[in-house]
Amino acid sequence: MDDSYQVIVVGGGFAGVAAAKELGRKGVRVLLIDTNNYHQFQPLLYQVATSQIGVSAIARPLRSVFRRYKSVKVLTAKVSSVDTARKTVTTTDGRTLRGQILVLAVGAVPNFFNTPGAEEYAYPLYSVTDATKLGTGLTRLLDQADRNDGMVDVVVVGGGPTGVETAGAMAENVKYVVRKYFSPELASRCRVHLVDMVPSVLNAFSKKSQAYAAEHLGKVGVQLRMGVGVTEVRADGVSLADGTFIPAQIVVWAGGLKAGDLISGSGLAQGRGGRIDVRPDLTAPDVDGVYVLGDAANITDDAGNKLPQLGSVAQQAGKWAAHNIIADLNGGTRKPFHYVDKGYMAMVGRGAAVAELGRKRYQLQGTFAFLSWLLVHLALLSGIQQKVRALFSWLNGYILHSPAQVVVSGPVDRAMEDEDHARPDIPEKLPVGEQPGAGQPAVGQAPAGQPPVGQAPAGQPPAEQASAGQ
């Protein structure tokens, strides 16, 4: 493999893929590097974890994505460091690769805000690996509770779109799937809790959307604990700031994101969330020829508005950066990023969703929002096969309550088979999360100069906001 390229893109997420595609259309020689050999559609990870769709519906091989772009080379490797001054990246196998221009679109990692026990015991939900681990944990827990007449308690931390969608999907599984495939008795022993320190779910949405979402979540059995932060996560549940404790065998962390180690070790000045405060043209400050995109960047549009970490922002920024890169290569002039705000939406359950579309936020709730959500996400899935698989799974799940996908767990541990040595109400915890929120306060406290978890600065949606354009 040659070690020199016109553009090196680090990261195969929304932003990286969009940038590489646009550059590939113009014949620019691009190297795209990602730890995984696939692109994942993050907005639907919760559906993988709850067996609504399979991994193959949201993960598409990167080489398949770029098979028609002859100037784009895909490399599956883990980048250990970047030298922004020299425009080089070094992989863990010791290879150093150089580009004329460097694009950092490396995504983010869970931000546990230094909450005691969160990294050890909570399941994040930001990758295919996270989703399959959570799905496996849920499957084991249900099997175990069915075998031992035990309780099933799940706590979801974070009342934004990810938390709402996850809690709603889990509660509907209890109401329909567990009742049908296990027994009504087991379903009656299952509880789903949603916790956040902000007073309402979907904090960035309108009051009407918030009220609709909260009402529907209550109807499907989600127990809301809003306005109180999590102070500790334990193997047997979560402690809250008001002194109460919620027993739980599984805790799902949907409480926020931060930039990863590659960004912190890049030498670039970091801003809110450890991300890089990029210039209006999406380049990194104080260095030439380096673009930072997606969840690694704090981006403002051409009107000076701060933009949230959305899939739609990442995709549009990737395309815009590609045009600026082409201008760089041809001696042209970069243009400041202009974001087209398509609004945002969140699924609340079967036949229930909220959508606020466009800059004027035209509001939809219920069936029309649900159908809009399905159509938007179906259109945005990468590849015909992925669209067909998702559509088939949704038809089975939402109409027949007969999920086409099942998360298959590994063998039951020997200790679980021995009732004298295992706690039947607490499943084996699979390892999750590789990045602690070092130096960050607990949920319920805000970092200096930053809003609390789940609460955005005035006029800005939270970082994990779901977008109509994702």
Side-chain angles (χ1 to χ4, degrees):
M1 176 186 289
D2 293 337
D3 289 345
S4 181
Y5 296 85
Q6 286 180 286
V7 181
I8 294 180
V9 178
V10 183
F14 288 125
V17 166
K21 272 188 171 182
E22 202 67 22
L23 292 168
R25 289 190 182 99
K26 301 298 183 180
V28 177
R29 191 159 179 261
V30 178
L31 177 66
L32 177 71
I33 308 175
D34 196 276
T35 305
N36 303 308
N37 64 0
Y38 55 85
H39 167 71
Q40 62 183 17
F41 191 76
Q42 285 183 299
L44 296 182
L45 287 173
Y46 81 94
Q47 294 204 356
V48 173
T50 55
S51 300
Q52 294 186 4
I53 59 176
V55 170
S56 59
I58 70 163
R60 184 184 180 193
L62 285 167
R63 289 179 178 84
S64 173
V65 174
F66 292 102
R67 69 185 184 278
R68 294 185 181 137
Y69 301 87
K70 302 304 181 185
S71 65
V72 179
K73 172 72 177 179
V74 174
L75 174 63
T76 303
K78 184 174 183 178
V79 175
S80 57
S81 64
V82 298
D83 186 329
T84 55
R86 298 176 59 212
K87 314 299 183 296
T88 62
V89 300
T90 301
T91 60
T92 53
D93 60 3
R95 178 182 298 171
T96 297
L97 303 141
R98 184 187 302 275
Q100 290 177 245
I101 295 174
L102 184 60
V103 178
L104 301 179
V106 294
V109 296
N111 192 345
F112 297 110
F113 293 91
N114 206 32
T115 305
E119 184 187 5
E120 293 80 8
Y121 297 115
Y123 288 84
L125 194 50
Y126 303 113
S127 70
V128 167
T129 301
D130 291 341
T132 54
K133 285 180 178 179
L134 175 57
T136 296
L138 289 166
T139 302
R140 288 182 176 177
L141 178 58
L142 288 168
D143 284 336
Q144 190 177 350
D146 184 53
R147 185 172 66 248
N148 300 318
D149 294 328
M151 300 293 294
V152 174
D153 283 281
V154 178
V155 171
V156 179
V157 181
T162 298
V164 165
E165 291 180 334
T166 303
M170 289 181 173
E172 289 208 331
N173 272 358
V174 170
K175 186 175 181 179
Y176 299 108
V177 180
V178 173
R179 183 177 300 275
K180 177 178 178 180
Y181 283 88
F182 286 89
S183 68
E185 291 75 25
L186 177 58
S188 69
R189 301 197 301 272
C190 297
R191 292 189 294 264
V192 179
H193 310 260
L194 181 62
V195 180
D196 201 326
M197 66 167 297
V198 298
S200 60
V201 297
L202 302 178
N203 189 54
F205 286 68
S206 68
K207 296 295 184 183
K208 183 177 179 181
S209 294
Q210 292 173 3
Y212 176 87
E215 181 182 3
H216 184 82
L217 289 173
K219 286 181 179 178
V220 296
V222 177
Q223 300 184 20
L224 298 178
R225 291 296 305 274
M226 307 303 296
V228 58
V230 173
T231 56
E232 183 182 12
V233 179
R234 298 178 358 195
D236 57 348
V238 298
S239 298
L240 304 182
D242 61 2
T244 59
F245 180 79
I246 302 177
Q249 296 82 44
I250 284 183
V251 177
V252 182
W253 191 267
L257 298 171
K258 65 173 184 174
D261 286 345
L262 198 62
I263 292 297
S264 62
S266 67
L268 301 174
Q270 294 175 264
R272 178 175 51 85
R275 295 179 285 269
I276 307 303
D277 294 327
V278 297
R279 292 182 287 202
D281 59 9
L282 303 175
T283 58
D286 303 322
V287 63
D288 292 327
V290 177
Y291 290 77
V292 186
L293 308 174
D295 286 337
N298 292 321
I299 299 175
T300 57
D301 63 13
D302 54 352
N305 299 313
K306 294 181 179 179
L307 301 176
Q309 273 62 52
L310 296 177
S312 59
V313 174
Q315 285 180 326
Q316 291 184 41
K319 291 180 181 179
W320 199 277
H323 291 298
N324 280 345
I325 289 169
I326 292 169
D328 289 339
L329 296 173
N330 295 330
T333 302
R334 303 186 198 112
K335 295 181 179 179
F337 176 47
H338 175 73
Y339 174 59
V340 179
D341 189 349
K342 299 178 182 179
Y344 37 83
M345 53 180 57
M347 171 81 78
V348 189
R350 176 179 176 268
V354 294
E356 300 185 0
L357 307 178
R359 285 187 179 274
K360 294 186 177 180
R361 298 294 184 258
Y362 295 107
Q363 295 183 31
L364 295 174
Q365 289 93 26
T367 302
F368 288 113
F370 173 77
L371 294 174
S372 298
W373 187 99
L374 291 178
L375 290 173
V376 166
H377 287 75
L378 189 65
L380 291 172
L381 279 169
S382 179
I384 298 298
Q385 294 184 33
Q386 284 70 29
K387 297 177 193 292
V388 171
R389 288 166 182 156
L391 182 59
F392 176 76
S393 297
W394 287 337
L395 290 173
N396 264 338
Y398 293 131
I399 296 176
L400 304 177
H401 295 303
S402 178
Q405 309 298 331
V406 177
V407 175
V408 180
S409 66
V412 176
D413 288 347
R414 189 179 304 275
M416 288 179 64
E417 295 176 345
D418 185 350
E419 300 299 336
D420 294 331
H421 294 88
R423 292 179 294 174
D425 59 335
I426 301 177
E428 176 200 8
K429 176 66 179 67
L430 297 175
V432 296
E434 298 180 356
Q435 299 290 341
Q440 300 290 333
V443 178
Q445 301 178 9
Q450 295 188 32
V453 175
Q455 184 174 341
Q460 180 181 345
E464 54 100 34
Q465 177 72 44
S467 170
Q470 284 181 325

